[in-house]
Amino acid sequence: MSDSLRNDLVVSGGGMVGASLALAVGRMGLRVRLFERRSREACHAADPYERASLVSLGSGRFLAGIGIDVAALGTPVARMRVWDGQGFGSIHLDAEDGGETLLGHICENRRLEQAIHGAIGATDDAVLHYAEELVETAPCQPEIVLRSNQGGRLSATLLAVAEGRQSPLRKQVVNAPLFREGYGQDGITATVWMEKPHRHIAYQRFLDSGPLAILPFRNDHDGQPRASLVWSAKRPLARRLMAMDDSAFLAALNEAFGPQLGRFYQIGPRAAFALSGLHSSRYIGRRAVLLGDSAHGVHPLAGLGVNLGLRDAETLATLIGTAITRQEDWGEPATLRSFQAQRRPDNLATVLACGGLSHLFSNNHRGLATLRDAGMFATGFLFPLKRFLIRQAMGL
């Protein structure tokens, strides 16, 4: 195989997580190839649903370190307001109580992805292949041999799989048991316009059908306040909501959320997706590693999913950098075991915690409602616990 087809790292999946890993390692001067099954045109197009994520302060610092200015792409979040729609409990999480000015930024997923792709295009050592995916792998020391759906063959010191929850390559490279949990909910996303400004506050109200989040979004071109809606609802309700016209949907939203932001009076296109939890019992194979949603998937109630993936990317990039310094092979088991040991506990705990919170709040049992109220009340007065939750939300 010619040198032009040998790579230090190959990444399968050009979403935010896979692309950030490719950019981080490419900036080290290594030869990196990133494969994305979507076309260039699809990736460069605007997302009509403007789906967004809370990029935590810690994730934002990682992205800034590889040349991506999250502040220029997103809307700052300084505070969170979480309350139980079935009781009186509430939690206020303020960045200043955690020793920072911001919890993070709400970023439109597609815009962040496009910024990372643009930065990869400006590097000399990373190559992005659109409309091409890897379909076959064969470990062959000291490399892994790969074939794409276009017939191309190449090799790599390490393959990183960041293809999402339905990853085709996952079973090939890491044939391990998967934990899956269906929540019986769909997540509805859209952009909404409201009467009052959000004041950089992220809101989340727990209803018996599921959590309803209103996340601060940049104003429109006329300066009107907007927010990103993520409404997680039990499937029968979600289907009824999706079948409503905009006027009926907005009426249901105003009733469910309350008057904190005045009246929601306009909504953009809506999308719905099934919610579930996922965790691979193992992240590593022979010269291959899973990260992001290919390794774990969480309920969106805490906005942690993309941040777990970005922490995966940061950890793996750091370990590769350490291996370079030590003149070691970063595809060898020692480096991969270190990645798994560092990331698996955090990811698994978050998957289970988010699933548990969803079950705890998505019901109308009176005894549990009392327990929830007591827990929220206590959190507000136990500053060390509150500060811990704030630092977790920041990804620090």
Side-chain angles (χ1 to χ4, degrees):
M1 189 170 293
S2 67
D3 285 345
S4 63
L5 297 178
R6 288 198 180 99
N7 302 273
D8 299 306
L9 175 70
V10 168
V11 182
S12 183
M16 294 178 284
V17 173
S20 65
L21 172 65
L23 177 60
V25 177
R27 288 188 178 277
M28 298 176 189
L30 298 185
R31 182 177 293 175
V32 179
R33 289 185 187 271
L34 173 63
F35 287 82
E36 169 51 52
R37 64 186 303 178
R38 292 169 296 165
S39 68
R40 182 187 301 270
E41 293 72 24
C43 290
H44 287 190
D47 178 6
Y49 306 109
E50 296 185 300
R51 287 164 290 197
S53 299
L54 171 57
V55 177
S56 70
L57 188 64
S59 295
R61 288 173 177 172
F62 162 60
L63 291 169
I66 58 175
I68 304 300
D69 185 0
V70 175
L73 297 170
T75 303
V77 180
R79 295 176 291 278
M80 285 187 181
R81 300 292 180 258
V82 182
W83 75 103
D84 187 352
Q86 306 165 71
F88 301 100
S90 65
I91 302 176
H92 290 191
L93 302 178
D94 295 352
E96 61 187 17
D97 290 336
E100 301 285 352
T101 57
L102 294 176
L103 298 172
H105 292 81
I106 302 296
C107 289
E108 190 182 333
N109 296 346
R110 185 66 58 82
R111 292 187 70 213
L112 177 55
E113 180 185 283
Q114 289 168 348
I116 302 172
H117 284 193
I120 290 172
T123 65
D124 295 328
D125 296 296
V127 178
L128 174 51
H129 298 262
Y130 289 107
E132 188 172 4
E133 59 182 315
L134 300 173
V135 295
E136 187 178 335
T137 69
C140 181
Q141 292 293 357
E143 59 191 16
I144 185 170
V145 178
L146 309 164
R147 183 176 66 84
S148 81
N149 62 336
Q150 296 185 10
R153 291 177 61 83
L154 66 158
S155 67
T157 301
L158 178 64
L159 168 67
V161 178
E163 300 174 328
R165 297 193 188 197
Q166 306 304 320
S167 168
L169 276 185
R170 179 172 52 213
K171 191 171 183 179
Q172 276 195 51
V173 299
V174 182
N175 188 10
L178 285 176
F179 162 80
R180 294 184 185 270
E181 181 180 18
Y183 299 130
Q185 297 176 341
D186 288 346
I188 299 172
T189 61
T191 301
V192 292
W193 282 253
M194 62 275 187
E195 293 174 331
K196 296 180 181 179
H198 49 66
R199 295 177 296 138
H200 303 293
I201 300 173
Y203 296 89
Q204 185 151 263
R205 186 176 194 186
F206 284 100
L207 308 170
D208 60 2
S209 59
L212 167 58
I214 300 293
L215 308 175
F217 220 14
R218 64 188 184 282
N219 291 348
D220 67 13
H221 294 302
D222 297 321
Q224 298 303 305
R226 305 189 307 159
S228 178
L229 164 72
V230 184
W231 191 346
S232 304
K234 293 178 180 177
R235 191 151 294 126
L237 172 59
R239 289 174 177 171
R240 292 197 298 273
L241 290 169
M242 287 299 292
M244 294 176 179
D245 62 21
D246 286 354
S247 178
F249 185 94
L250 286 168
L253 174 60
N254 281 306
E255 181 179 356
F257 183 75
Q260 287 83 353
L261 293 171
R263 182 176 60 90
F264 296 100
Y265 63 87
Q266 183 178 336
I267 188 169
R270 285 171 266 159
F273 54 95
L275 301 181
S276 62
L278 175 148
H279 190 263
S280 177
S281 59
R282 188 157 43 87
Y283 293 0
I284 59 176
R286 294 174 61 192
R287 295 200 171 269
V289 61
L290 305 177
L291 66 158
D293 281 359
S294 291
H296 46 79
V298 301
H299 194 290
L301 65 86
L304 294 173
V306 70
N307 294 294
L308 292 179
L310 290 171
R311 291 208 287 270
D312 290 349
E314 181 178 20
T315 299
L316 185 56
T318 299
L319 288 169
I320 290 174
T322 300
I324 293 171
T325 301
R326 296 175 177 174
Q327 297 184 319
E328 295 174 348
D329 182 344
W330 49 89
E332 286 290 325
T335 296
L336 303 188
R337 284 196 297 266
S338 181
F339 169 78
Q340 180 169 269
Q342 291 185 49
R343 294 301 309 138
R344 191 174 183 276
D346 179 24
N347 293 331
L348 178 58
T350 304
V351 170
L352 296 177
C354 288
L357 285 171
S358 175
H359 290 304
L360 176 63
F361 281 93
S362 299
N363 65 76
N364 54 13
H365 189 281
R366 182 173 298 178
L368 286 178
T370 302
L371 179 64
R372 294 194 301 259
D373 283 349
M376 287 184 164
F377 182 80
T379 299
F381 285 91
L382 296 174
F383 185 75
L385 174 58
K386 186 175 180 179
R387 181 180 172 86
F388 170 77
L389 292 175
I390 293 169
R391 300 292 288 184
Q392 285 294 104
M394 292 176 178
L396 299 176

